[in-house]
Amino acid sequence: MNQILFIVGARGAGKTTVGKLLANELSYTFIDTDHHIQQTSNMTIADIVNQQGWQQFRHLESEALQQVSQRKRVISTGGGIILSTENRRYMQQNGTVIYLQASADILAERLMQQPENTQRPSLTGKSIVEEMEEVLAAREKLYCECANHIINAQLSPEKITAYVKEIILPRVIS
């Protein structure tokens, strides 16, 4: 098995939780692009955005995607990585893209339970529910466009992991 799995979806979809489980199950390495950016820049994402702007952060995100893409990795991406046509194309050409799909209400509920203000600033300055509705309205088509598989993120992380293994393994072994 020498595949790269990219997990895409909005904040709160469960990309990191599922990614870690999946990497463990497949004996792959887990990488989170946001964490990679924070480690290599020695800054929080909020600080990068505040000091250098969203455009610079998106540039760092694209660089991180290519830097961490190696065989036998599960890569949890930042929610906005799909905004770049180049990133969508890169993921499609270099691995399998799993989209963890959830409604704005579910995402907002999860984000309110585990706020990560230091990690990612608000995109819109609106309430979390309004922000998630806007983000999904803008990104849903892009997530679906680049995904090889769309999975209901309301399933338990264990069920999602089992399902991904089931659909991925036959391809990876052959």
Side-chain angles (χ1 to χ4, degrees):
M1 293 193 310
N2 291 324
Q3 181 110 17
I4 301 172
L5 297 178
F6 297 101
I7 303 177
V8 301
R11 278 194 304 161
K15 300 181 301 282
T16 299
T17 303
V18 169
K20 286 178 179 176
L21 282 173
L22 204 49
N24 189 46
E25 286 283 319
L26 296 171
S27 298
Y28 277 26
T29 301
F30 174 76
I31 302 284
D32 180 304
T33 57
D34 284 350
H35 185 70
H36 178 80
I37 292 166
Q38 290 178 95
Q39 279 190 314
T40 56
S41 69
N42 289 317
M43 295 172 77
T44 66
I45 289 171
D47 286 342
I48 293 169
V49 171
N50 289 335
Q51 293 174 27
Q52 302 171 19
W54 277 107
Q55 188 174 354
Q56 176 61 18
F57 171 71
R58 294 295 177 212
H59 174 74
L60 293 173
E61 192 173 52
S62 296
E63 283 183 347
L65 178 66
Q66 294 189 25
Q67 289 168 359
V68 302
S69 294
Q70 295 177 23
R71 293 180 179 277
K72 296 186 95 174
R73 286 201 168 164
V74 175
I75 299 170
S76 169
T77 64
I81 207 155
I82 48 82
L83 294 171
S84 159
T85 303
E86 181 183 308
N87 290 344
R88 292 193 307 275
R89 192 174 301 126
Y90 181 86
M91 289 187 291
Q92 289 171 315
Q93 291 172 350
N94 290 284
T96 300
V97 183
I98 308 294
Y99 169 33
L100 296 183
Q101 186 178 50
S103 69
D105 290 342
I106 295 294
L107 296 170
E109 185 181 307
R110 288 179 180 175
L111 291 170
M112 286 188 279
Q113 287 172 358
Q114 292 185 309
E116 297 179 14
N117 295 339
T118 58
Q119 186 183 17
R120 184 65 63 102
S122 169
L123 293 166
T124 62
K126 297 183 178 177
S127 77
I128 195 75
V129 176
E130 289 176 307
E131 179 169 309
M132 294 320 296
E133 286 171 352
E134 274 189 32
V135 166
L136 283 180
R139 297 179 182 175
E140 180 70 17
K141 182 179 174 216
L142 300 175
Y143 287 131
C144 291
E145 179 186 298
C146 79
N148 297 102
H149 303 282
I150 299 171
I151 299 175
N152 180 350
Q154 286 183 256
L155 297 171
S156 73
E158 295 76 17
K159 282 187 178 170
I160 294 170
T161 299
Y163 179 69
V164 172
K165 268 182 69 177
E166 196 176 294
I167 56 177
I168 296 301
L169 287 177
R171 283 194 206 159
V172 179
I173 292 171
S174 59

